[in-house]
Amino acid sequence: MQYKTIAGPVGLTIKKKDSYEDAVRQYAAIIDREAVGGWELLCIQQIPVTKNKGCLAGLLALFGIGSMYEYVEFNMLVFVKKN
């Protein structure tokens, strides 16, 4: 088995006049594009990532100003392909 991961949108934005189905179609388009050549979607996995902002941010965080870390979650689309 082979595996590949594709970063999906963290959040989807639609226009006021659009429906939620439009957001679903955005994800479906990514899946359709990546499923070419025998790849099958296995799952969508949320991956948390914490980034250290650096020394100055850490110093400010000691005084209660902001945070020394930036936290983001990515939606990883995991695909599998049989050899």
Side-chain angles (χ1 to χ4, degrees):
M1 302 278 254
Q2 291 179 295
Y3 296 90
K4 73 174 181 176
T5 58
I6 305 297
V10 174
L12 297 172
T13 303
I14 57 175
K15 297 176 184 169
K16 185 177 180 179
K17 64 180 173 82
D18 293 339
S19 68
Y20 290 109
E21 288 81 18
D22 294 317
V24 172
R25 279 193 285 277
Q26 289 179 36
Y27 249 100
I30 295 168
I31 293 167
D32 288 343
R33 182 184 70 229
E34 298 298 331
V36 175
W39 290 100
E40 296 180 30
L41 179 66
L42 181 64
C43 67
I44 299 175
Q45 182 69 47
Q46 287 186 336
I47 306 295
V49 178
T50 303
K51 180 179 179 181
N52 190 330
K53 289 184 179 178
C55 296
L56 182 58
L59 182 61
L60 292 172
L62 289 174
F63 294 102
I65 303 170
S67 169
M68 61 187 297
Y69 299 104
E70 181 179 346
Y71 177 79
V72 177
E73 279 194 1
F74 290 95
N75 292 325
M76 299 302 293
L77 286 74
V78 181
F79 290 84
V80 64
K81 180 178 181 180
K82 296 178 182 171
N83 291 335

